Amino acid sequence: MGLLDGKIGVVFGVANKRSIAWAIAQAWAREGARLAFTYQGERLKENVAELVSAFGSDTLLMPCDVTRDDQIEAVFQELRQRHGRLHLLLHSVAFAPREALEGRYLDTSREAFRVALDVSAYSLTALARAAAPLMTEGGSILTLSYYGAEKVVPHYNVMGVAKAALEASVRYLAYDLGPQRVRVNAISAGPVNTLAARGISGFTEMLRHYEAKSPLRRNVLPEELGATGLFLASDGAAAITGQVIYVDCGYQIMGM
Ligand code: NAD
Ligand code: 0WE
């Protein structure tokens, strides 16, 4: 008896075994969900194929660059043909051009702003709109945010602006989809050492800062993000929508 028995889900944002999407997908699968996966491009295909082979050889795996309407359409067309319905969607995707995460927010170019907001914020709306017609039995849409959406985190820059737009999108999507029993929530995660975090200068210091300052005096573990992702997807969260849930060892409550 799994919490997600009979549920069908699709996961956007697995790059490798350290991806937050992978931790949440594993928690969903362990509780009985049937999952399909997408990957950003050919560069990641092999990696992701190897990971998802753990879920059986008939696991649906499709390319999807979330800036491409044609690829989004193809993913949901395939899901409709294979399963006919959908209950769960995980959006764990973000990107800003590297140079926008260095230096001043003030210097963000129009193009870097466009790319960051397109990939990291608009994509949730595009995916939710494509998923909604398949979520005929209700559903749960989940995305990943970060504290830089609400407070200044040096160098997070345009990603902070994109996460603010993402969190506002969660609320508007929750309102639009509520009548069809589709819930939309975000997990605001503390820092995790993933591909997207590696190479960010000062990331190791950030991990140490959370360890020193958060009420729980440690960093969040991927499996803890998996556990919260599972809760939000389950009937235990049936009355929770439009929310940003902090999974950050309490860091967000601190004033100093
Ligand atoms: P990750 O690199 O494993 O995942 C990021 C994913 O985004 C990758 O799978 C990448 O392929 C995908 N992606 C980027 N551009 C894309 C595009 N155009 N089309 C499709 N996919 C695209 O890193 P992660 O840390 O697991 O990041 C997942 C989410 O978690 C992101 O939204 C990130 O902002 C958020 N987050 C991360 C942390 C952290 O410290 N790692 C903290 C809070 C929130
Ligand atoms: O959302 C993120 C990072 C997302 C991200 C990472 C990269 C690195 C490679 C988006 N775009 C890019 N572009 C690249 O070229 N996090 C929450 C992790 C993160 O990133 C930071 C952080 C934290 C935390 C950047 C600066 C300061 C703090």
Side-chain angles (χ1 to χ4, degrees):
M1 256 303 292
L3 288 171
L4 302 181
D5 281 343
K7 305 287 189 201
I8 299 160
V10 61
V11 175
F12 297 81
V14 175
N16 58 37
K17 69 176 193 308
R18 296 187 135 175
S19 295
I20 293 171
W22 184 238
I24 295 173
Q26 282 180 292
W28 284 3
R30 199 179 307 122
E31 292 296 327
R34 220 163 142 205
L35 299 181
F37 291 83
T38 66
Y39 56 90
Q40 182 187 354
E42 286 307 307
R43 198 168 43 83
L44 292 171
K45 181 177 186 176
E46 233 185 292
N47 231 325
V48 181
E50 157 128 31
L51 279 176
V52 309
S53 66
F55 296 134
S57 54
D58 65 336
T59 303
L60 205 49
L61 177 62
M62 297 160 282
C64 188
D65 178 331
V66 297
T67 65
R68 297 273 306 270
D69 288 330
D70 56 333
Q71 293 186 12
I72 293 174
E73 197 187 329
V75 165
F76 288 92
Q77 186 57 41
E78 184 68 32
L79 286 169
R80 177 182 289 282
Q81 275 170 16
R82 176 79 76 101
H83 300 294
R85 69 219 157 98
L86 187 69
H87 305 95
L88 311 172
L89 187 152
L90 176 59
H91 173 277
S92 185
V93 169
F95 180 79
R98 152 94 38 195
E99 69 273 12
L101 300 175
E102 295 159 355
R104 307 187 297 178
Y105 173 70
L106 187 65
D107 296 323
T108 306
S109 68
R110 192 183 297 277
E111 179 62 7
F113 188 100
R114 187 194 65 73
V115 168
L117 274 284
D118 188 12
V119 175
S120 314
Y122 181 73
S123 59
L124 177 69
T125 301
L127 296 181
R129 188 171 55 252
L134 288 175
M135 291 186 159
T136 50
E137 301 170 344
S140 176
I141 296 176
L142 185 58
T143 187
L144 270 297
S145 192
Y146 175 62
Y147 187 56
E150 61 177 274
K151 288 290 192 301
V152 172
V153 174
H155 304 306
Y156 199 60
N157 293 359
V158 73
M159 272 307 308
V161 175
K163 291 302 193 188
L166 179 74
E167 291 184 6
S169 300
V170 164
R171 293 185 282 272
Y172 281 93
L173 291 170
Y175 176 72
D176 285 347
L177 295 173
Q180 73 171 83
R181 277 197 310 123
V182 173
R183 299 180 295 102
V184 187
N185 293 289
I187 291 176
S188 184
V192 183
N193 199 0
T194 62
L195 190 62
R198 216 168 312 142
I200 304 269
S201 67
F203 192 76
T204 312
E205 290 89 283
M206 176 164 299
L207 291 173
R208 272 199 265 114
H209 179 76
Y210 269 71
E211 237 175 77
K213 301 297 179 192
S214 65
L216 296 179
R217 301 290 200 279
R218 63 179 181 84
N219 282 290
V220 66
L221 302 169
E223 55 265 38
E224 294 171 329
L225 297 171
T228 302
L230 170 60
F231 165 66
L232 287 172
S234 75
D235 286 343
I240 299 178
T241 194
Q243 295 300 312
V244 178
I245 309 282
Y246 291 85
V247 184
D248 64 348
C249 298
Y251 186 87
Q252 189 265 348
I253 67 171
M254 300 305 294
M256 199 183 153

